[in-house]
């Protein structure tokens, strides 16, 4: 395989199992013109400090264990594909704020803690259905870690260093926002109030926003000084991305201090995509050997048997919080294909042995007559609703949502309170890959999901 380094040469040559993937089929890897440059870059990435720490990954796993038990809810969101150009203070701030705004509403709706995980600080690689772009004949854009969207499409290993640096800078900024007052509960709630006041569908969300207002007033009246408590001032914020580029992930895979467990320290949670989750493939092998919380995406053609086999391979010991199954079935199919999968996995491994998380984006992508890839807000909501219905009927926990979003007022998904149409998409269509919910659409989703969580709670506590 020309795109992979010789495992016996230089960096990354260990034979402790962390390189076993090198002998397995590895799909979706870039074909670099010059492997000497790749080798050099990987040498560098093997010595740089890791982006996250094993201890943080462990804490996230305990938070996710609460999700698995039905005692917390997972919110995962961010760009489809981050880009180096858009990795700005403003861009990160917008996404973090959006996640926090959603989290407040969901925390209230669920009456449960919300585990906040950005699809951020590392989401720089994209799997593609074809090596060549149909419309241009150019090599496909594979994410900023690989090649340029507007420019040179030849994969350049040096871009892995930029991906590392941009991820580290973004996470540094996110860490600051988690505790510097940006996450102040009252402030975030005030943004939501402003959203409700200005949205054409604001009246639909007013009641919930007022309930939150009253809850905050109640806490203040009880003598809690909300402006000075760490619990109301700060949040835990985690990073996640698709672990696609094996050389990059391997270079940032390190042992903890005890030398007993290896972690992919490129991010807190890493997931395997629907296109690379072959049971006997390289991606599943590498991630089965690291101790991070792991996600795996499951599409509508996944059989219950394969879902179970993936769970057993990625989490043979059934470690609470270890594995999140991110289902992306499409609004039209979720009610039919999800139940047998959930039933089979839970029957074999026990209730709550994995987290069920709904990705309502990837199964609902369409193309408009004027050539834009889009998703209709109603389809997105319909899949979330189907996900909740399925879990309600099976008595299992609808553990979380995974969405593609941005804090900017882009026009990429149709529908929502402003009823964006195909014609509106030209206005601000900025995504480097898939269409994202804008800030307003993300908040609408959060309000609607909060209602579903409230309803789910009302039925289970009866
Ligand atoms: N620390 C709590 C939490 O993370 C409460 C909180 C503070 C919060 N700021 C927030 C919740 C912003 C959501 C969003 O849940
Ligand atoms: Mn996407």
């Amino acid at each position: 395989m020309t795109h992979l380094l010789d495992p016996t040469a230089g960096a990354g040559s260990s034979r402790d199992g962390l390189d076993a993937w090198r002998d397995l089929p590895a799909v979706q890897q870039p074909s670099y013109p010059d492997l000497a440059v790749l080798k050099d870059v990987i040498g560098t990435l093997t010595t740089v400090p890791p982006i996250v720490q094993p201890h943080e990954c462990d804490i996230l796993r305990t938070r996710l264990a609460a999700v698995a038990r039905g005692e917390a809810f997972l919110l995962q969101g961010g760009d489809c594909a981050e880009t180096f150009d858009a990795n700005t203070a403003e861009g990160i701030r917008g996404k973090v704020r959006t996640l926090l705004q959603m989290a407040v509403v969901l925390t209230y709706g669920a009456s449960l803690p919300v585990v906040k995980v950005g699809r951020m600080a590392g989401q720089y690689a994209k799997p593609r259905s074809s090596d060549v772009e149909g419309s241009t004949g150019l090599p496909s854009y594979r994410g900023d870690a690989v090649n340029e969207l507007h420019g040179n499409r030849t994969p350049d290993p040096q871009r892995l260093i930029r991906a590392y640096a941009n991820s580290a800078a973004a996470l540094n900024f996110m860490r600051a926002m988690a505790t510097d007052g940006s996450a102040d509960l009252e402030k975030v709630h005030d943004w939501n109030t402003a959203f409700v006041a200005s949205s054409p569908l604001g009246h639909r969300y007013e009641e919930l926003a007022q309930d939150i207002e009253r809850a905050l007033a109640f806490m203040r009246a009880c003598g809690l000084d909300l402006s000075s408590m760490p619990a109301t001032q700060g949040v835990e914020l985690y990073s996640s991305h698709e672990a696609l580029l094996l050389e990059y992930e391997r270079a940032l895979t390190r042992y903890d201090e005890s030398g007993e467990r290896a972690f992919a320290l490129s991010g807190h949670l890493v997931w395997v995509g629907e296109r690379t989750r072959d049971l006997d493939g390289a991606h599943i092998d590498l991630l089965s050997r690291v101790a991070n919380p792991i996600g795996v995406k499951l599409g509508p053609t996944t059989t219950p048997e394969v879902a179970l086999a993936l769970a057993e391979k990625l989490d043979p010991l059934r470690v609470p919080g270890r594995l999140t199954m991110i289902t992306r079935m499409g609004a039209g199919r979720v009610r039919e294909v999800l139940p047998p999968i959930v039933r089979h996995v839970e029957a074999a491994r026990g209730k709550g042995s994995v987290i069920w998380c709904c990705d309502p984006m990837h199964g609902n992508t369409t193309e408009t007559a004027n050539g834009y890839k889009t998703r209709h807000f109603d389809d997105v909501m319909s899949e979330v609703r189907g996900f909740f219905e399925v879990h309600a009927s099976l008595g299992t926990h609808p553990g979380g949502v995974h969405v593609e979003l941005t804090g900017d007022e882009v026009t990429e998904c149709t529908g929502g309170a402003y009823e964006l149409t195909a014609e509106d998409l030209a206005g601000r269509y900025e995504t480097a890959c898939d269409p994202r919910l804008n800030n307003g659409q993300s908040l609408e989703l959060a309000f609607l999901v909060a209602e579903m969580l409230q309803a789910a709670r009302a039925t289970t506590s009866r």
Side-chain angles (χ1 to χ4, degrees):
M1 258 168 278
T2 58
H3 50 272
L4 302 176
L5 290 181
D6 177 357
T8 59
S13 64
S14 68
R15 276 289 173 189
D16 56 5
L18 286 178
D19 287 291
W21 60 269
R22 294 179 186 279
D23 299 326
L24 302 173
V27 293
Q28 298 285 346
Q29 302 306 293
S31 300
Y32 292 111
D34 188 349
L35 286 183
V37 184
L38 176 64
K39 190 178 167 196
D40 224 51
V41 162
I42 294 303
T44 303
L45 288 176
T46 306
T47 58
V48 293
I51 295 172
V52 303
Q53 288 289 313
H55 181 63
E56 299 167 341
C57 300
D58 280 339
I59 296 178
L60 174 58
R61 208 192 53 249
T62 67
R63 304 293 181 243
L64 291 171
V67 176
R69 293 194 304 270
E71 294 166 10
F73 190 75
L74 167 64
L75 171 64
Q76 196 180 6
D79 284 306
C80 177
E82 291 180 285
T83 62
F84 300 157
D85 280 350
N87 190 35
T88 61
E90 202 190 340
I92 297 167
R93 204 177 282 126
K95 273 177 279 184
V96 170
R97 277 187 183 175
T98 305
L99 283 174
L100 293 173
Q101 286 182 277
M102 296 171 78
V104 169
V105 176
L106 293 170
T107 306
Y108 185 82
S111 298
L112 291 174
V114 170
V115 183
K116 305 154 193 79
V117 181
R119 183 181 161 118
M120 297 173 68
Q123 181 55 21
Y124 285 114
K126 300 305 301 171
R128 300 318 294 260
S129 50
S130 163
D131 281 342
V132 182
E133 199 169 76
S135 51
T136 61
L138 292 171
S140 294
Y141 171 63
R142 290 186 172 274
D144 267 20
V146 176
N147 56 5
E148 283 182 75
L149 176 59
H150 306 289
N152 192 348
R153 288 283 176 87
T154 309
D156 175 3
Q158 297 287 353
R159 299 183 73 86
L160 294 172
I161 305 253
R162 293 181 66 192
Y164 165 79
N166 276 283
S167 301
L171 190 61
N172 183 52
F173 198 83
M174 285 167 66
R175 285 184 199 284
M177 283 194 77
T179 54
D180 70 358
S182 305
D184 175 359
L185 187 59
E186 290 174 290
K187 196 158 88 187
V188 177
H189 169 66
D190 287 346
W191 296 333
N192 282 350
T193 311
F195 161 77
V196 169
S198 70
S199 168
L201 284 184
H203 57 93
R204 173 95 181 57
Y205 312 121
E206 217 161 68
E207 199 179 310
L208 222 156
Q210 276 170 12
D211 285 350
I212 298 175
E213 179 73 44
R214 292 232 303 276
L216 292 172
F218 174 71
M219 289 195 278
R220 279 184 223 110
C222 290
L224 300 183
D225 180 0
L226 299 183
S227 62
S228 70
M229 296 166 16
T232 50
Q233 287 301 297
V235 294
E236 283 177 17
L237 203 52
Y238 295 95
S239 73
S240 70
H241 64 269
E242 176 175 353
L244 183 71
L245 302 174
L246 294 159
E247 292 288 4
Y248 177 83
E249 298 301 339
R250 174 64 186 92
L252 286 167
T253 295
R254 313 286 172 79
Y255 281 95
D256 63 2
E257 260 179 80
S258 71
E260 276 162 24
R261 293 179 305 153
F263 286 81
L265 296 178
S266 56
H268 296 114
L269 183 155
V270 283
W271 76 83
V272 199
E274 161 81 351
R275 298 171 204 237
T276 52
R277 58 150 182 75
D278 178 20
L279 199 54
D280 302 309
H283 292 83
I284 293 291
D285 187 89
L286 179 59
L287 290 198
S288 73
R289 296 171 195 272
V290 297
N292 304 57
I294 299 292
V296 61
K297 292 268 193 126
L298 302 179
T301 59
T302 314
T303 63
E305 291 71 29
V306 165
L308 175 60
L310 283 166
E312 289 294 280
K313 183 140 185 184
L314 288 169
D315 179 30
L317 301 178
R318 302 175 190 179
V319 176
R322 155 75 171 172
L323 183 60
T324 301
M325 303 212 116
I326 309 167
T327 60
R328 26 93 73 229
M329 303 308 192
R333 305 205 54 194
V334 59
R335 292 165 181 83
E336 148 216 354
V337 295
L338 185 57
I341 293 174
V342 175
R343 231 183 268 123
H344 193 61
V345 171
E346 299 245 337
R349 290 168 47 95
K351 197 165 149 57
S353 59
V354 304
I355 291 157
W356 299 103
C357 178
C358 173
D359 165 358
M361 312 299 291
H362 289 90
N364 297 302
T365 315
T366 55
E367 193 171 322
T368 61
N370 53 351
Y372 287 101
K373 220 202 242 190
T374 193
R375 291 157 173 159
H376 199 284
F377 185 76
D378 293 346
D379 293 335
V380 170
M381 286 319 305
S382 169
E383 176 153 2
V384 180
R385 198 155 280 138
F387 172 84
F388 272 83
E389 285 166 18
V390 167
H391 285 288
S393 76
L394 297 178
T396 46
H397 180 50
V401 289
H402 176 124
V403 286
E404 290 185 339
L405 59 80
T406 165
D408 301 328
E409 284 312 322
V410 298
T411 55
E412 298 172 4
C413 291
T414 50
Y418 289 91
E419 297 178 19
L420 294 183
T421 63
E423 285 66 49
D424 294 324
L425 296 182
R428 255 194 99 175
Y429 195 94
E430 297 175 1
T431 183
C433 196
D434 290 338
R436 304 159 295 177
L437 300 175
N438 59 30
N439 174 268
Q441 291 168 329
S442 302
L443 287 178
E444 281 181 65
L445 177 137
F447 274 102
L448 295 170
V449 172
E451 287 176 3
M452 294 178 212
L453 282 163
Q454 268 179 328
R457 212 176 151 74
T459 42
T460 50
S461 60
R462 229 186 277 137

